[in-house]
Amino acid sequence: MAHSARRDCPELPDFSLLKTLARDHLIYLLEQLPGKKDLFIEPDLMSPLDRIANVSILKQHEVDKLYKVEYKPVISTSDQLCFLIRPRIQTVKWICDVANADKAAGKCRRYKIIFTPKKFYSCDAVLEEQGIIGDVTTDEWSFYLLPLDDDIISLELPEFFRDNFLAGDQRWVKTAGSALHLIHSLYGPFSKIYGIGRCSKMAYESWREQVAEGEQRAQKAEIGKVFLIDRDVDFVTPLCSQVVYEGLVDDIFRIKCGCVEFGPEVTSSDKSMKVMLNSQDKVFNEIRNEHFSNVFGFLSQKARNLQTAYDKRRGMDIKQMKTFVSEEFKGLKQEHRLLSLHIGASESIMKQKTKQDFQELLKTEHSLLEGFEIRESISFIEEHINRRVSMLESLRLLCLLSITENGLLPKDFRSLKTQFLQSYGVDHLLTFANLRQLGLLVEQQPGEMLTVMESKVGKLVNDKTAGKLTDAFSSLARKSHFRALSRKLNLVPRSDEEYDLRVPRDMAYIFSGAYVPLSCKLVEQVLDRDGWTGLEEVTKLLNGHEFAVTGNNGADSKAKGNAQRIVLVMFLGGCTFSEISALRFLGREKGFRFIVVTTAITNSSRILESLLDNHV
């Protein structure tokens, strides 16, 4: 069932070293506060911390009790308090309140703040302003990268997207550069670095500065090429409904730090269960990249194979039974448990998607991507909004309509915005402002509307006249970038061709054959061309900031060896599981192995939630 890999695909580096380094550094920092201590952990650090150092490891290093940061008075009786936090002003102010409350009550305690991945100047400024900078010690835990699987590494910084792309706060860019520097120092040197996007260029420059400052060590490269890409280069891909199994599981159950919690409806019991989703789960590993329409067939075949393996017990003598129990039975039981969970998850997904009229939703999305039946699509979106089906789904469809059509006609924009605010509340006005700022949901300007007229007129006249008309119109109107990109890169396969999802022919299978993800297509094109040559028109439509640099270590890009076929793709602003599936497919087709490094795993809901400003 799982797509067969080319035999010449190279082995991936072992990223467990990243965990070991992070764990050893944390232990060292905890030991700087000798004696028993209570540890307060910021909520969004609890899952990553559990993957690095579990409770028993913390207990071994004199951590007495663990608390979640909750911005209320502490109940700890310990003489030493340690805080493991992100560099957020709100959290630092709360720590100041705790210390000042202790002072007022005459309690004498020691305080240590461990910032991760780094401390910002603003944090020290708050400590000084609140008058406790002399009462606390501060440290930095350089926890930049968390391996979620053999080929996925996350910075676990979901706030990167909003801070950088909406607020214009570039403080995390150096963190991305430091993460790249860590990978380079352990698994480099890199032979070629490509990138596109303003943030990617800044992260690359930050990394290059850190390389120049540090000492160079001669070592065998394990990663050859690196590709950096900004999330705002391609918003269409994360806004499309995910239909590969891992993407659907993330959309419905929310995968957090490589772990998912399946409720009673999946486990067929009265308890929920946390399950690690990675390549160690043999059932999951075979279906994670599959289009959902193929998953049930695979799971039923797997169940039959498992039953056959169990049936082997019949007719065995005592010696054979003993061998079977000691060697096979435990593995079969584990596989049976996982199979039951994934069958339960698939049934739950089916129920939810049937309830949402998923096929109609996909049909509308495909129409938007192809640029057909736009009025029908707008009617569907209006119905979606008026029925109050799901606020985030309605917003997602509005954004997809806007991006694919290069903005909405003024009358459509006003009508849809009014209906949305009436259905979901006027406090979403700020959300619309955020979406407009990012270019996700915009109103066409008068000049832009001429592009539609231009294309219609162009069909009625000869090429020469059409060329003159185009020149005249281009001074008034900006071309629809998605449509132009789609044509130049062939992102939307011809709809009249039959697409067999059981035997995918290109990366479009991750969206039922309707659309090749732009982000992954760029990676493919740049690797094929060994740079951006020939893609000048594409980069112009994407607002430039592209670069291709040969590594300054003397490593030739044509150097032999497996490392040259291992490509690290770094997404700044988040990456979806669908994009990871597409890159895995591309790797199998071309004989590459892709490592995905991302600031966080994302999807349409996470992106839109980060832009919601309805708390007025």
Side-chain angles (χ1 to χ4, degrees):
M1 174 75 181
H3 310 295
S4 57
R6 273 174 49 158
R7 287 179 185 174
D8 61 344
C9 279
E11 287 295 309
L12 288 167
D14 177 13
F15 293 114
S16 61
L17 180 57
L18 293 170
K19 281 188 185 179
T20 307
L21 286 172
R23 182 169 56 245
D24 290 351
H25 188 205
L26 179 62
I27 288 167
Y28 168 77
L29 294 175
L30 290 172
E31 286 176 347
Q32 300 302 297
L33 191 64
K36 288 204 171 224
K37 54 199 153 278
D38 285 353
L39 181 62
F40 290 79
I41 308 163
E42 208 149 11
D44 60 346
L45 281 172
M46 295 191 98
S47 293
L49 179 64
D50 196 44
R51 296 287 299 263
I52 297 294
N54 56 28
V55 174
S56 59
I57 290 172
L58 297 173
K59 296 274 186 190
Q60 285 166 28
H61 295 88
E62 298 188 289
V63 170
D64 188 21
K65 290 176 183 166
L66 293 166
Y67 297 94
K68 186 160 73 173
V69 169
E70 290 182 314
Y71 305 112
K72 58 188 184 185
V74 301
I75 52 170
S76 168
T77 55
S78 175
D79 291 336
Q80 301 195 111
L81 304 184
C82 188
F83 302 90
L84 180 61
I85 64 167
R86 292 284 190 210
R88 293 176 184 138
I89 288 174
Q90 182 192 8
T91 316
V92 177
K93 279 184 175 173
W94 170 75
I95 294 169
C96 293
D97 290 344
V98 169
N100 285 326
D102 285 348
K103 269 187 194 175
K107 279 184 191 170
C108 186
R109 300 203 235 217
R110 291 180 71 190
Y111 310 95
K112 182 182 181 73
I113 305 174
I114 301 173
F115 293 98
T116 184
K118 58 191 290 189
K119 177 175 70 174
F120 294 139
Y121 167 76
S122 55
C123 299
D124 271 343
V126 171
L127 292 172
E128 194 167 351
E129 184 186 287
Q130 298 288 321
I132 69 154
I133 196 158
D135 302 324
V136 299
T137 54
T138 61
D139 258 312
E140 292 180 341
W141 179 31
S142 306
F143 173 39
Y144 292 114
L145 296 162
L146 175 67
L148 298 179
D149 207 344
D150 298 341
D151 60 351
I152 309 173
I153 305 171
S154 174
L155 277 74
E156 288 303 307
L157 284 174
E159 60 260 60
F160 187 104
F161 176 76
R162 183 180 169 112
D163 286 357
N164 189 79
F165 295 107
L166 182 67
D169 185 344
Q170 294 159 7
R171 60 187 175 166
W172 295 117
V173 170
K174 191 171 181 188
T175 304
S178 299
L180 196 57
H181 182 238
L182 177 60
I183 294 172
H184 178 261
S185 61
L186 296 174
Y187 305 102
F190 309 140
S191 62
K192 208 76 184 262
I193 301 106
Y194 314 101
I196 184 161
R198 189 161 164 265
C199 187
S200 291
K201 201 159 193 175
M202 288 191 292
Y204 161 72
E205 284 164 1
S206 169
W207 164 73
R208 196 177 59 184
E209 283 170 17
Q210 292 176 62
V211 169
E213 286 167 10
E215 51 185 79
Q216 302 296 308
R217 287 187 297 125
Q219 62 184 27
K220 186 185 172 188
E222 292 184 71
I223 296 172
K225 296 172 181 176
V226 174
F227 191 103
L228 306 175
I229 183 166
D230 284 14
R231 181 70 277 167
D232 66 353
V233 166
D234 174 19
F235 276 135
V236 171
T237 300
L239 287 173
C240 290
S241 291
Q242 302 196 78
V243 286
V244 291
Y245 181 69
E246 189 167 15
L248 274 167
V249 170
D250 185 41
D251 278 352
I252 289 170
F253 301 103
R254 289 280 174 123
I255 298 172
K256 194 174 177 184
C257 253
C259 184
V260 68
E261 187 167 344
F262 287 134
E265 74 282 1
V266 172
T267 59
S268 302
S269 68
D270 55 353
K271 290 181 184 172
S272 293
M273 185 185 293
K274 285 192 173 180
V275 182
M276 290 297 294
L277 294 180
N278 54 34
S279 52
Q280 304 303 308
D281 178 339
K282 287 178 183 168
V283 176
F284 174 70
N285 197 42
E286 291 194 66
I287 59 175
R288 68 193 308 180
N289 303 310
E290 293 294 335
H291 190 277
F292 190 65
S293 60
N294 301 332
V295 170
F296 270 113
F298 169 77
L299 292 174
S300 57
Q301 181 60 50
K302 194 84 176 167
R304 285 195 291 273
N305 295 348
L306 205 58
Q307 190 59 51
T308 306
Y310 271 127
D311 290 345
K312 279 192 337 189
R313 296 173 298 177
R314 292 176 187 158
M316 284 184 178
D317 58 30
I318 292 174
K319 189 178 178 184
Q320 288 170 325
M321 182 63 83
K322 193 175 177 184
T323 307
F324 173 78
V325 170
S326 62
E327 292 178 8
E328 292 182 53
F329 189 63
K330 192 179 176 186
L332 290 173
K333 273 186 77 176
Q334 170 74 348
E335 204 167 326
H336 182 265
R337 186 181 71 85
L338 293 170
L339 189 60
S340 299
L341 280 172
H342 290 298
I343 289 172
S346 299
E347 287 173 342
S348 184
I349 289 168
M350 278 292 285
K351 277 179 198 164
Q352 290 209 33
K353 292 304 178 189
T354 308
K355 207 191 303 177
Q356 290 175 4
D357 204 0
F358 196 48
Q359 290 308 316
E360 275 298 306
L361 190 71
L362 287 181
K363 187 184 166 192
T364 300
E365 282 182 33
H366 296 174
S367 296
L368 293 175
L369 293 166
E370 291 166 11
F372 297 139
E373 300 180 343
I374 300 302
R375 296 320 307 174
E376 288 86 340
S377 299
I378 289 174
S379 297
F380 178 85
I381 296 169
E382 284 179 325
E383 187 189 344
H384 210 273
I385 291 169
N386 295 327
R387 283 168 52 210
R388 297 186 185 180
V389 178
S390 155
M391 188 270 291
L392 286 175
E393 282 285 283
S394 297
L395 211 51
R396 180 177 72 81
L397 289 169
L398 284 174
C399 292
L400 200 55
L401 171 66
S402 174
I403 296 172
T404 52
E405 289 298 297
N406 194 31
L408 304 180
L409 294 171
K411 67 181 177 74
D412 290 334
F413 182 84
R414 285 194 293 272
S415 169
L416 288 164
K417 183 179 177 182
T418 301
Q419 290 176 68
F420 187 93
L421 295 174
Q422 284 173 346
S423 285
Y424 303 111
V426 292
D427 46 355
H428 282 291
L429 272 168
L430 289 172
T431 302
F432 272 81
N434 291 342
L435 294 170
R436 185 176 65 245
Q437 191 177 325
L438 276 178
L440 281 168
L441 184 52
V442 295
E443 185 179 357
Q444 280 183 7
Q445 298 308 307
E448 289 173 331
M449 287 182 270
L450 290 169
T451 52
V452 181
M453 185 169 71
E454 172 200 343
S455 62
K456 286 178 180 172
V457 172
K459 288 172 188 171
L460 302 174
V461 292
N462 62 37
D463 290 344
K464 194 174 179 183
T465 318
K468 287 177 182 174
L469 277 166
T470 301
D471 290 341
F473 280 126
S474 64
S475 62
L476 297 169
R478 186 165 55 88
K479 286 274 189 183
S480 171
H481 290 188
F482 177 75
R483 294 277 171 256
L485 286 165
S486 180
R487 283 194 301 274
K488 288 183 188 305
L489 295 172
N490 194 25
L491 299 180
V492 179
R494 285 174 54 186
S495 55
D496 56 345
E497 294 176 7
E498 192 65 35
Y499 200 102
D500 187 354
L501 292 166
R502 287 169 299 181
V503 189
R505 60 171 181 258
D506 57 23
M507 291 184 284
Y509 91 92
I510 67 162
F511 294 122
S512 308
Y515 165 67
V516 179
L518 169 60
S519 53
C520 303
K521 188 72 174 181
L522 288 172
V523 172
E524 179 188 23
Q525 290 288 309
V526 168
L527 289 176
D528 282 351
R529 298 161 191 261
D530 192 24
W532 295 97
T533 310
L535 294 171
E536 289 82 5
E537 287 185 43
V538 169
T539 56
K540 193 177 174 186
L541 291 166
L542 293 169
N543 299 322
H545 298 292
E546 77 283 357
F547 57 93
V549 187
T550 302
N552 58 2
N553 46 57
D556 182 11
S557 61
K558 293 179 183 172
K560 304 293 179 192
N562 285 340
Q564 295 312 309
R565 289 183 294 126
I566 293 182
V567 183
L568 184 146
V569 181
M570 188 174 195
F571 287 85
L572 296 165
C575 166
T576 66
F577 282 117
S578 293
E579 286 168 308
I580 295 170
S581 293
L583 288 173
R584 285 176 183 144
F585 176 86
L586 181 63
R588 287 189 293 269
E589 292 291 295
K590 304 270 187 180
F592 286 111
R593 290 299 292 275
F594 286 100
I595 299 155
V596 173
V597 177
T598 177
T599 49
I601 295 293
T602 196
N603 57 23
S604 58
S605 297
R606 290 191 187 98
I607 283 177
L608 294 172
E609 280 166 6
S610 72
L611 301 173
L612 292 180
D613 264 340
N614 58 335
H615 44 261
V616 289

